[in-house]
Short mmCIF file of all heavy atoms in Angstrom, two decimals:
data_model
loop_
_atom_site.label_atom_id
_atom_site.label_comp_id
_atom_site.label_asym_id
_atom_site.label_seq_id
_atom_site.Cartn_x
_atom_site.Cartn_y
_atom_site.Cartn_z
N GLU A 22 -73.93 130.62 -95.32
CA GLU A 22 -75.00 130.56 -96.31
C GLU A 22 -75.93 129.38 -95.99
O GLU A 22 -75.56 128.45 -95.31
CB GLU A 22 -74.41 130.41 -97.71
CG GLU A 22 -73.63 129.17 -97.95
CD GLU A 22 -72.98 129.10 -99.32
OE1 GLU A 22 -72.51 130.16 -99.78
OE2 GLU A 22 -72.94 128.01 -99.88
N GLU A 23 -77.17 129.52 -96.44
CA GLU A 23 -78.14 128.47 -96.24
C GLU A 23 -77.85 127.30 -97.14
O GLU A 23 -77.67 127.49 -98.32
CB GLU A 23 -79.54 129.03 -96.51
CG GLU A 23 -80.65 128.00 -96.20
CD GLU A 23 -82.01 128.62 -96.37
OE1 GLU A 23 -82.30 129.73 -95.88
OE2 GLU A 23 -82.80 127.92 -97.14
N VAL A 24 -77.80 126.09 -96.51
CA VAL A 24 -77.47 124.91 -97.31
C VAL A 24 -78.61 123.85 -97.27
O VAL A 24 -78.53 122.80 -97.94
CB VAL A 24 -76.16 124.22 -96.84
CG1 VAL A 24 -75.00 125.12 -97.11
CG2 VAL A 24 -76.25 123.82 -95.40
N GLY A 25 -79.60 124.12 -96.52
CA GLY A 25 -80.76 123.20 -96.45
C GLY A 25 -81.67 123.53 -95.35
O GLY A 25 -81.43 124.52 -94.59
N ARG A 26 -82.78 122.75 -95.21
CA ARG A 26 -83.73 123.01 -94.19
C ARG A 26 -84.13 121.66 -93.53
O ARG A 26 -84.12 120.64 -94.32
CB ARG A 26 -84.99 123.74 -94.68
CG ARG A 26 -84.73 125.13 -95.13
CD ARG A 26 -85.98 125.79 -95.58
NE ARG A 26 -85.74 127.18 -96.00
CZ ARG A 26 -85.98 128.25 -95.25
NH1 ARG A 26 -86.54 128.11 -94.04
NH2 ARG A 26 -85.74 129.44 -95.69
N ALA A 27 -84.53 121.66 -92.35
CA ALA A 27 -85.09 120.42 -91.67
C ALA A 27 -86.43 120.88 -91.14
O ALA A 27 -86.59 121.97 -90.61
CB ALA A 27 -84.18 119.97 -90.56
N ARG A 28 -87.37 119.97 -91.23
CA ARG A 28 -88.74 120.36 -90.83
C ARG A 28 -89.22 119.17 -89.91
O ARG A 28 -88.98 118.03 -90.22
CB ARG A 28 -89.66 120.46 -91.98
CG ARG A 28 -91.10 120.74 -91.64
CD ARG A 28 -91.96 120.99 -92.86
NE ARG A 28 -91.52 122.21 -93.50
CZ ARG A 28 -91.28 122.38 -94.79
NH1 ARG A 28 -91.42 121.35 -95.59
NH2 ARG A 28 -90.95 123.53 -95.28
N LEU A 29 -89.88 119.53 -88.89
CA LEU A 29 -90.55 118.61 -87.93
C LEU A 29 -92.03 118.62 -88.27
O LEU A 29 -92.61 119.63 -88.27
CB LEU A 29 -90.27 118.97 -86.52
CG LEU A 29 -90.47 117.99 -85.44
CD1 LEU A 29 -89.59 116.78 -85.65
CD2 LEU A 29 -90.05 118.53 -84.11
N ARG A 30 -92.60 117.46 -88.66
CA ARG A 30 -94.00 117.40 -89.04
C ARG A 30 -94.70 116.33 -88.19
O ARG A 30 -94.18 115.24 -88.10
CB ARG A 30 -94.12 117.08 -90.50
CG ARG A 30 -95.58 117.10 -91.03
CD ARG A 30 -95.70 116.76 -92.52
NE ARG A 30 -94.79 117.54 -93.31
CZ ARG A 30 -93.89 117.07 -94.21
NH1 ARG A 30 -93.77 115.80 -94.35
NH2 ARG A 30 -93.14 117.87 -94.89
N LYS A 31 -95.85 116.62 -87.75
CA LYS A 31 -96.63 115.63 -86.98
C LYS A 31 -97.82 115.25 -87.81
O LYS A 31 -98.48 116.11 -88.40
CB LYS A 31 -97.06 116.29 -85.65
CG LYS A 31 -97.85 115.37 -84.72
CD LYS A 31 -98.03 115.91 -83.33
CE LYS A 31 -99.10 116.98 -83.30
NZ LYS A 31 -99.52 117.38 -81.98
N TYR A 32 -98.15 113.95 -87.88
CA TYR A 32 -99.35 113.53 -88.61
C TYR A 32 -99.93 112.34 -87.86
O TYR A 32 -99.40 111.80 -86.92
CB TYR A 32 -98.93 113.10 -90.04
CG TYR A 32 -97.94 111.99 -90.12
CD1 TYR A 32 -98.32 110.66 -90.25
CD2 TYR A 32 -96.58 112.34 -90.11
CE1 TYR A 32 -97.37 109.69 -90.34
CE2 TYR A 32 -95.63 111.31 -90.11
CZ TYR A 32 -96.00 109.98 -90.31
OH TYR A 32 -95.12 108.99 -90.39
N VAL A 33 -101.18 112.04 -88.21
CA VAL A 33 -102.00 111.04 -87.48
C VAL A 33 -102.03 109.78 -88.26
O VAL A 33 -102.32 109.79 -89.48
CB VAL A 33 -103.40 111.59 -87.21
CG1 VAL A 33 -104.24 110.59 -86.52
CG2 VAL A 33 -103.30 112.89 -86.41
N VAL A 34 -101.82 108.61 -87.58
CA VAL A 34 -102.04 107.34 -88.14
C VAL A 34 -102.98 106.60 -87.29
O VAL A 34 -103.09 106.87 -86.09
CB VAL A 34 -100.70 106.51 -88.32
CG1 VAL A 34 -99.76 107.20 -89.25
CG2 VAL A 34 -100.01 106.32 -86.96
N THR A 35 -103.75 105.65 -87.84
CA THR A 35 -104.70 104.90 -87.13
C THR A 35 -104.19 103.43 -87.04
O THR A 35 -103.83 102.88 -88.07
CB THR A 35 -106.08 104.96 -87.77
OG1 THR A 35 -106.48 106.37 -87.82
CG2 THR A 35 -107.22 104.23 -86.97
#
Side-chain angles (χ1 to χ4, degrees):
E22 62 185 36
E23 184 177 308
V24 295
R26 292 181 181 259
R28 178 178 291 132
L29 198 58
R30 183 181 309 125
K31 183 170 73 168
Y32 58 94
V33 177
V34 296
T35 301

